[in-house]
Amino acid sequence: MTYKEFLQKGGEQKWQDKWLEEGIDRAEDFGEKPKKYVLDMFPYPSGAGLHVGHPEGYTATDIYSRYFRLKGFNVLHPMGWDAFGLPAENYAIKTGTQPSITTAENVATFKRQIQSLGFSYDWDREINTTDPKYYKWTQWIFLQLFKKGLAYEATVPINWCPSCKTGLSNEEVKDGKCDRCSAAVEKKDLRQWMLKITAYADRLLSGLDGLDWPESIKSQQRNWIGRSEGAEVDFKIAGSKETIKVYTTRPDTLFGATYMVLSPEHKLIQELKDRIENWKEVNNYVVQSKNKSDLERTDLNKEKTGVELKGVKAINPVNGKEIPIWLSDYVLSGYGTGAIMAVPAHDTRDWEFAKKKQIPIEYVIIPNQFYYPDVNGNSIILSCPDDCDKILEKVKEVNEGSGFCFTEIDSGIMVNSDFLDGLVPEEAIKKMTAWLEEKGVGKKAINYKLRDWVFSRQRYWGEPIPLVHCDKCGIVPLDEKNLPLTLPKVEKYEPTGTGESPLALIEDWVNTTCPKCGGPAKRETNTMPQWAGSSWYWLRYIDPNNDKEFADPKKLKYWLPVDLYLGGAEHAVLHLLYARFWNMFLFDIKAVPFEEPFTKLVNQGLILGEDGEKMSKSRGNVVNPDDIVKEFGADTFRMYEMFMGPLEDMKPWSTKNILGIHRFLGKVWEIVMKHGTHSIEQNANAELEILLNKTIKKVGEDIESMSFNTAISQMMMLANAMQEAKVFPADYFEKLLIILSPFAPHMTEQLWRKLGHMESICKEQWPTYDPEKIIDAEIELPVQVNGKVRARLKLPADVEEAVATRAALDDSQVQKYVMTEPKKIFYVKGKMISIVV
RNA sequence: GCGCGGAUGGCGGAACUGGCAGACGCGACGGACUUAAAAUCCGUUGGGCAUAGCCCGUGCGGGUUCGAUUCCCGCUCCGCGCACCA
C-alpha cells in the first residue's frame, strides 16, 4: 500500500475510531505517573466552522501532550465549548431558530472537524458552558461572590452598545467601539450587576511576577490594572466648608498648581449651583458632555474645551493662593477623584488648556543644566544652583516659543516652591507628602485604572443571574439547592433596548416567590456576560460530571494548576484577567488549591491568508481545514502548520509549501515500507547513528520548548540520510516513527503495526539517546586570520589545542595570510581557531 | 505620546551562552526515468567579479571585540497593545 492509498482508503479515520474506542487519550485521576495538565483555550463554536487558526494551537498542544505521554506522564488534555454569546442569539433573531439548536449544530460541526485532525482529547471530559449542568456552577460561583459582597448592584453610567443593545465591560470596549460589532459605544445610566475586581487589583498585579507568561501579556495586564502612587490633596473652596479632593502623582509640583479642573460629572457642580454666577453656561457644558460619545470625548486631536466656575475659587493649601476652578471633559470622572489640580508648566494637557484659556503658568521645576548657542555660535552652559534664575528665564523663552518642555522626575531641581526649593523631584514628592499629612490636608494614595467589572447583559443567550428582587427583603439569592436556574425558552429573542433582557417579557418566569419570606418577588432578568463560563472552565474538566460540587477537591489538588495554557493573545485583558480574578476568589474561599490558575501561557500567532492579509470572508482568503485534510490528510495538515514558522509568530499561509511536508511524510512511508518488512543490516553506520541520536535529543528538546519547526527540519534531515543510507539496523525505523508520532500520529501508527507491533505506538516510550553518540567523530574546524575564514581543517572532534594550532599554521591557505609571527591565537574547542597577525 | 515585539536570499524561516550566516522547506534552473505529462530521484541555487580564487552581504549609522545576525549607543521602518489615567 502506498501512502496515497492509505489516505484514500480512510486510513486516518480508521485509527481515529480505534483510538477513541481504546480510550488511549483518557486521563486517569490520581494516576501514579507524574501529571501534566495541557489546556487549549476552548473555542466559541461559530456557524462558520473551524478555520486554520484554531488547529494551530490545538496541534501544538496535541504534540506536546502526546510527547509527554510517551515520556511517561499522566496527561490531561481536554476540550469543550464556550457556547454562550451573541452570534447564536442574533441568528435566532433573524431566523427564529432557538440558540440552543444552532449551538448544538455548531458544536457537532466543530467536534467533527477537530476529531478529523486526530487530536488526542479526552472526550469523556467534554464540557459545554450552555449546559445547565455546567452553568449551575457558574451561577453557584456568582452566588459566592454575592455572599462575599463582591457582586453588587449599582446604577452607574456604563458603556452601552446601541447595536448589540447591551451594556459592556470596559475590557470589551476598544477605541471607543464595541469589541464585537464596532459600533460607537455610548454612555448610559443603567442598573447593573458589578463584580468588584478592583478588590483584587494589587494581587492581580503582583501575581504576574511569578508567572511564566509572554512578557507582552503581562505588560498589557499591568498597564490595564494601571497602578500609580501619589497623593490625595484637599483644596478648600474659598468662603465655604466644601473641599475639592484631587489625586496627583506629582505632589512636588503643588506650588505650580494655578487652577483646578472638575470633570463635568463631578458632584460638587450641582452642590455649588447657587454660588456659580454663570450657571447657565456651566449647565450647558455639563449637558453637552453627557451627550458626547466616548469616542468624541477621548479624541486626542480635538481642542480642549471648558468653562470657568465664576464666583467660586479654590485655595491652594501650600501657599494659600486663590485659584480658579474650571470644568472640562479632559478630566475623566472615573479616574482618581474626578478632579485635578492643574500644573500647566509641567503637564502637557494642563499646558494646552492654560494656553487656550490664558491661565497663569508657574514654573516649579527647571533643568539642572541648560545649553544654548550665543550670537557667535559658541555653546553656553548654565548650571544650577548658580544660574537658576537664568535657566528659568531660558526655559520660559523656549516654552513660550516652540512648545512645552516637561521636566522628568529624576532630573531637574525644584524652584519657587518654598520648602522644596533645591530638592530633586523625587525627594520633593516625599517631603511634600509628609507635609500634607502633617497639616492634615492630604495623604499618600494609590490609584488604579482598573474599574469594577460590569457583569450584566441585557440579552437572552447567557446564564440567568440567580437572584430575586423582593419588596420586603430586597435582593435575595436563590437557594443553592435550587440551582441551576435554567434559561427559559422565549418566543422573541429581540433585545428590548430598554435595559431589560428579553427574559423580562416572560411573566410566569419573572414572577416568583421570595426564597426568604415566601412573598411575591421578581427574578433578576439580566444575564451574565460571555466571559462568565470561561472564567472557571479549566476547573470543570477535572470533574465534569460531579453534581455535588463543581469539582472534587482531591481531584483539583491532583491536577491543578494548569501546566501549559495555549491560545490567542486577544484575551490578554479579558478572559485571562477575569479567569485569574475568579480563581483568586475561589482560592480565598478555599474552593481551589492554587491562587494562579495557569503556570505557563503561550500565545500562538495569527495565521494570515496567502496574500499576507488577515483571513476574512470578505477578502475571500479563508482556508478551510477540511479541504486541506481531504487533499493531503490530517498528518500533513498538522505538520505543515507546525513547520510554517515559530508558533508565536504571525505567518502567512502557503498552500504550495504544504507539498514539502507531504513529500517528507511520503518519504518516511517509503523508507519503512521498502525496508520495514525485510531483514535489515545490523552493522551500524556511524554517521547515521550519530544523526539519529542527535535527532532524538533535538526533537525532544524542541517539543518541550515548543519549537516545532526546527524539530521537523531535524527529522527531515534524518529521513534524507536514511533514504541515502539504504541499509541500517531495524530499530532505526522504530525510533524515527516514535519521535514522529506526536506530529503525524496516523501514518506512524499504521507503519508501526506494519512493523509487526500489536499495541498502539501511543503506548510506547520516548526513545533515549546515547550521549556518547551525539558528537561527530570528525569536525571541520574553521581557521580565521584577522577575523576572516581562510581555511577549514578536518580534525578529530576532541583535538587538543596544540595539535589544532599546529595544523592550522601548517595549512598552505593559512600560510598565505600569516607572513609574520602571529600576535595571538585563539582556540575555541570544537568551534574555531582565530589567528591575529 | 507610552508600553511590548520585530526587520536575515526570489519566498517561509535556521543559527546554543559572541565563534563557519542562510540549516530545513518552497520556488527556480539543469539532468535521470517516461512515447509524453504528473509523481519520484540526482545536481545547482545570497549578490558581485578578473570565478581552483577574491570581494561584498543579516533595516541604517557608529562603538566594543581577535571575532557581532547576537552586546552597547544613536536612528529608520513595520506589527501589536494602551492612550487626556493627572
Side-chain angles (χ1 to χ4, degrees), chain A residues 77-112:
Chain A
H77 187 39
M79 180 47 80
W81 318 105
D82 185 18
F84 274 127
L86 276 184
E89 184 171 342
N90 289 338
Y91 186 75
I93 292 165
K94 235 197 298 184
T95 64
T97 319
Q98 276 178 43
S100 57
I101 293 172
T102 17
T103 299
E105 284 170 4
N106 294 349
V107 164
T109 305
F110 263 64
K111 190 168 178 180
R112 175 190 62 73

Side-chain angles (χ1 to χ4, degrees), chain A residues 165-180:
Chain A
K165 295 197 173 76
T166 183
L168 303 171
S169 69
N170 289 352
E171 289 79 10
E172 287 170 304
V173 181
K174 304 260 156 172
D175 277 332
K177 291 177 193 156
C178 172
D179 193 27
R180 179 155 297 286

Side-chain angles (χ1 to χ4, degrees), chain A residues 180-199:
Chain A
R180 179 155 297 286
C181 73
S182 298
V185 167
E186 296 166 359
K187 283 275 174 227
K188 190 164 179 167
D189 280 319
L190 260 191
R191 184 188 64 86
Q192 290 296 322
W193 280 95
M194 311 278 290
L195 295 190
K196 213 179 251 172
I197 189 170
T198 50

Side-chain angles (χ1 to χ4, degrees), chain A residues 287-567:
Chain A
V287 172
Q288 260 176 40
S289 305
K290 206 173 180 178
N291 291 338
K292 276 189 196 168
S293 74
D294 247 27
L295 208 56
E296 287 170 295
R297 272 185 74 162
T298 57
D299 181 6
L300 284 170
N301 298 320
K302 73 155 198 212
E303 289 268 316
K304 288 194 174 28
T305 56
V307 182
E308 188 179 350
L309 302 186
K310 297 238 167 86
V312 202
K313 296 274 182 197
I315 297 169
N316 187 335
V318 292
N319 55 16
K321 280 188 188 162
E322 287 199 355
I323 54 174
I325 305 168
W326 286 76
L327 190 59
S328 174
D329 65 3
Y330 86 88
V331 172
L332 308 172
S333 62
Y335 183 76
T337 61
I340 61 159
M341 63 175 214
V343 185
H346 304 292
D347 180 284
T348 40
R349 297 152 300 183
D350 298 344
W351 169 269
E352 228 178 275
F353 191 76
K355 275 274 154 194
K356 202 171 168 210
K357 302 290 182 187
Q358 295 177 356
I359 303 168
I361 294 164
E362 198 71 56
Y363 289 82
V364 292
I365 308 172
I366 57 165
N368 278 316
Q369 291 197 316
F370 194 90
Y371 300 78
Y372 71 98
D374 68 6
V375 278
N376 300 318
N378 296 322
S379 190
I380 307 265
I381 306 170
L382 298 173
S383 315
C384 265
D386 298 346
D387 310 315
C388 281
D389 293 347
K390 275 192 200 156
I391 292 179
L392 182 53
E393 227 170 85
K394 281 286 167 194
V395 166
K396 276 186 189 170
E397 215 178 285
V398 170
N399 282 1
E400 300 308 313
S402 58
F404 178 80
C405 155
F406 185 70
T407 311
E408 293 294 328
I409 191 158
D410 51 352
S411 65
I413 188 156
M414 306 302 302
V415 292
N416 292 336
S417 295
D418 197 342
F419 59 91
L420 300 179
D421 282 354
L423 294 177
V424 297
E426 203 181 337
E427 289 166 8
I429 289 174
K430 281 185 203 150
K431 195 160 180 187
M432 179 58 90
T433 310
W435 186 90
L436 290 169
E437 281 176 6
E438 195 192 310
K439 301 281 174 191
V441 289
K443 58 169 199 257
K444 195 176 170 182
I446 291 164
N447 238 302
Y448 297 93
K449 290 191 207 171
L450 185 70
R451 302 268 71 93
D452 276 343
W453 177 6
V454 173
F455 194 69
S456 40
R457 297 293 177 273
Q458 293 70 47
R459 299 286 308 226
Y460 168 74
W461 190 230
E463 300 88 344
I465 292 176
L467 298 172
V468 301
H469 298 262
C470 170
D471 284 341
K472 244 204 267 170
C473 315
I475 294 159
V476 184
L478 290 196
D479 195 321
E480 284 170 22
K481 283 193 304 247
N482 294 327
L483 296 180
L485 171 62
T486 53
L487 189 61
K489 284 184 183 150
V490 297
E491 302 281 314
K492 286 187 70 179
Y493 302 95
E494 197 82 45
T496 61
T498 59
E500 292 289 336
S501 86
L503 295 178
L505 302 172
I506 315 172
E507 279 187 24
D508 54 350
W509 186 80
V510 172
N511 293 314
T512 181
T513 50
C514 172
K516 209 165 165 188
C517 70
K522 285 191 189 296
R523 287 192 197 281
E524 171 62 50
T525 61
N526 282 326
T527 54
M528 298 190 200
Q530 254 237 277
W531 311 103
S534 60
S535 292
W536 72 282
Y537 76 107
W538 65 94
L539 302 170
R540 188 60 175 171
Y541 284 134
I542 283 163
D543 204 0
N545 300 312
N546 194 331
D547 57 6
K548 300 277 184 301
E549 45 202 350
F550 69 79
D552 178 346
K554 286 197 211 88
K555 291 184 186 171
L556 291 170
K557 193 141 201 267
Y558 175 81
W559 284 112
L560 287 177
V562 173
D563 296 287
L564 174 69
Y565 193 23
L566 204 141

Side-chain angles (χ1 to χ4, degrees), chain A residues 22-152:
Chain A
E22 290 180 8
I24 270 173
D25 313 314
R26 260 163 240 162
E28 188 199 342
D29 293 329
F30 313 116
E32 290 286 302
K33 299 172 183 174
K35 70 95 185 177
K36 201 90 174 168
Y37 188 173
V38 183
L39 183 67
D40 288 297
M41 285 186 190
F42 64 162
Y44 172 78
S46 73
L50 224 55
H51 61 79
V52 292
H54 287 113
E56 185 192 13
Y58 305 159
T59 304
T61 51
D62 195 56
I63 292 168
Y64 198 79
S65 300
R66 286 175 182 271
Y67 168 77
F68 276 104
R69 286 197 197 97
L70 293 168
K71 282 287 246 189
F73 281 75
N74 184 21
V75 176
L76 172 56
H77 187 39
M79 180 47 80
W81 318 105
D82 185 18
F84 274 127
L86 276 184
E89 184 171 342
N90 289 338
Y91 186 75
I93 292 165
K94 235 197 298 184
T95 64
T97 319
Q98 276 178 43
S100 57
I101 293 172
T102 17
T103 299
E105 284 170 4
N106 294 349
V107 164
T109 305
F110 263 64
K111 190 168 178 180
R112 175 190 62 73
Q113 288 185 299
I114 284 174
Q115 288 187 327
S116 80
L117 287 163
F119 296 132
S120 60
Y121 293 118
D122 181 349
W123 289 106
D124 288 355
R125 294 172 185 262
E126 180 179 354
I127 56 165
N128 183 328
T129 55
T130 65
D131 181 347
K133 286 197 226 100
Y134 178 92
Y135 69 68
K136 166 179 177 176
W137 298 105
T138 312
Q139 291 171 333
W140 181 85
I141 295 169
F142 177 86
L143 286 185
Q144 307 315 306
L145 285 160
F146 176 78
K147 286 173 186 169
K148 294 282 173 188
L150 292 166
Y152 63 96

